[in-house]
């Protein structure tokens, strides 16, 4: 299984003890696991297989994973709506400034 992760980690292949996992939940669990702490090198940090071979990440059952992702996605939708509102307000502010300061 491969996931694209932030912080310069281009590819990560993981071996799981079980297959019943929500991929989005696994993505968030891996991001939360702070894998950067296992990185070595400068410029283009590298995480070696040996440095994370025995790292275990607790994983709730599939029903709990689905529940978590459903809630996270609701928050993501709320955040997206808020960002649209903020952008709209910023544009109106700039319009007023442009209009009044010319």
């Amino acid at each position: 299984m491969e996931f694209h992760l932030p912080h310069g980690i281009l590819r990560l292949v993981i071996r799981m003890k079980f297959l019943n996992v929500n991929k989005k939940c696994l993505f968030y669990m891996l991001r939360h696991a702070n894998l950067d702490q296992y990185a070595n090198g400068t410029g283009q940090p590298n995480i070696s297989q040996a440095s994370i071979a025995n790292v275990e990440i607790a994983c709730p059952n599939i029903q709990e994973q689905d529940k978590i992702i459903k809630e996270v996605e609701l928050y993501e939708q709320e955040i997206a709506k808020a960002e649209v509102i903020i952008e709209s307000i910023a544009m109106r502010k700039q319009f007023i400034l442009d209009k009044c300061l010319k």
Side-chain angles (χ1 to χ4, degrees):
M1 198 177 287
E2 294 184 22
F3 295 91
H4 295 282
L5 298 170
H7 307 297
I9 300 173
L10 300 177
R11 188 175 78 144
L12 175 66
V13 178
I14 60 172
R15 185 176 307 134
M16 299 185 305
K17 293 182 181 178
F18 58 92
L19 298 176
N20 200 13
V21 64
N22 180 308
K23 291 179 183 180
K24 287 183 180 180
C25 192
L26 179 60
F27 171 77
Y28 287 112
M29 287 187 296
L30 289 171
R31 286 185 60 190
H32 188 72
N34 188 20
L35 297 177
D36 288 342
Q37 66 183 315
Y38 303 103
N40 298 312
T42 58
Q44 179 89 23
N46 182 354
I47 298 177
S48 70
Q49 181 178 351
S51 67
I52 61 169
N54 295 316
V55 172
E56 291 190 17
I57 299 172
C59 186
N61 65 49
I62 190 68
Q63 292 82 14
E64 187 66 22
Q65 293 174 43
D66 291 341
K67 182 180 172 184
I68 291 167
I69 292 306
K70 185 176 180 178
E71 187 172 352
V72 166
E73 287 176 342
L74 287 174
Y75 287 126
E76 287 176 344
Q77 289 173 4
E78 288 182 34
I79 290 167
K81 289 176 188 176
E83 288 172 342
V84 168
I85 292 169
I86 291 168
E87 181 63 28
S88 173
I89 293 169
M91 289 172 59
R92 285 187 274 165
K93 173 189 164 191
Q94 190 60 48
F95 174 78
I96 295 297
L97 289 172
D98 290 348
K99 181 179 174 183
C100 294
L101 299 177
K102 282 189 176 185

